[in-house]
C-alpha cells in the first residue's frame, strides 16, 4: 500500500476494531488520522493501522489508555528522526522493557485463568451423564 490512504471502514476491517472504537481512540489522542479527504473523511496509512494494532493487542492485557499512550509516546520518540541522547534512548528503552515485562506477566496470568476455566468446564462435563442427549 505504500503511501496510499485508507478510509476508516477499511481500517476497521483490517484491525477488527469497530468504527466507534477507532473514533474513541482518536478522541483520546491515541491515534490521529494521517489526513482527511476533501469531503472530510478520515484517512489512515499503514503506520496508523500498525499503531491501532498495538492498541488492540494491549487492550485484552488490561493496559489502560494512559499506559497505551505512554508506550506509544516512547515508541514514537524512538522512531522519530530527531537525534536522541544516550541517556534519553536508554530511558525510553527501559520504559519499553517495563511494558514487555508487564505484558509477559499479564499473559502468564491469563494462561492461569484459562487453565482454571478449562478445569471448571471439565468438572461440569464429568457431572453430566455420558449418554445425555444434547
Amino acid at each position: 500500500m505504500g503511501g496510499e490512504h485508507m478510509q476508516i471502514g477499511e481500517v476497521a476491517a483490517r484491525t477488527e476494531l469497530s468504527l466507534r472504537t477507532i473514533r474513541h481512540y482518536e478522541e483520546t489522542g491515541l491515534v490521529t488520522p494521517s489526513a482527511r479527504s476533501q469531503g472530510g473523511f478520515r484517512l489512515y496509512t499503514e503506520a496508523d493501522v500498525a499503531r491501532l494494532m498495538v492498541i488492540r493487542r494491549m487492550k485484552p492485557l488490561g493496559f489502560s489508555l494512559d499506559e497505551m499512550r505512554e508506550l506509544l509516546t516512547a515508541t514514537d520518540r524512538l522512531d522519530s528522526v530527531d537525534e536522541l541522547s544516550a541517556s534519553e534512548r536508554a530511558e525510553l528503552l527501559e520504559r519499553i522493557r517495563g511494558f514487555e515485562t508487564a505484558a509477559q506477566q499479564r499473559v502468564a496470568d491469563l494462561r492461569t485463568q484459562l487453565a482454571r476455566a478449562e478445569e471448571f468446564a471439565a468438572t461440569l462435563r464429568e457431572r453430566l451423564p455420558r449418554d445425555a442427549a444434547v
Side-chain angles (χ1 to χ4, degrees), residues 56-127:
R56 192 189 91 183
R57 291 176 180 128
M58 291 180 81
K59 184 78 172 136
L61 295 177
F63 286 101
S64 69
L65 293 176
D66 286 338
E67 289 169 321
M68 292 175 191
R69 188 175 297 105
E70 182 182 342
L71 175 63
L72 291 167
T73 299
T75 58
D76 287 349
R77 187 72 181 114
L78 278 172
D79 294 343
S80 76
V81 294
D82 298 336
E83 208 170 301
L84 302 174
S85 69
S87 63
E88 184 179 8
R89 181 173 173 73
E91 178 188 328
L92 291 168
L93 290 172
E94 188 59 32
R95 194 173 308 160
I96 292 170
R97 192 170 290 111
F99 277 101
E100 191 272 337
T101 299
Q104 290 296 336
Q105 182 59 55
R106 291 173 188 201
V107 166
D109 293 346
L110 285 171
R111 283 191 178 116
T112 299
Q113 286 180 339
L114 178 59
R116 290 178 182 155
E118 288 171 336
E119 289 170 5
F120 174 65
T123 300
L124 293 175
R125 193 171 36 254
E126 289 170 5
R127 294 189 58 89

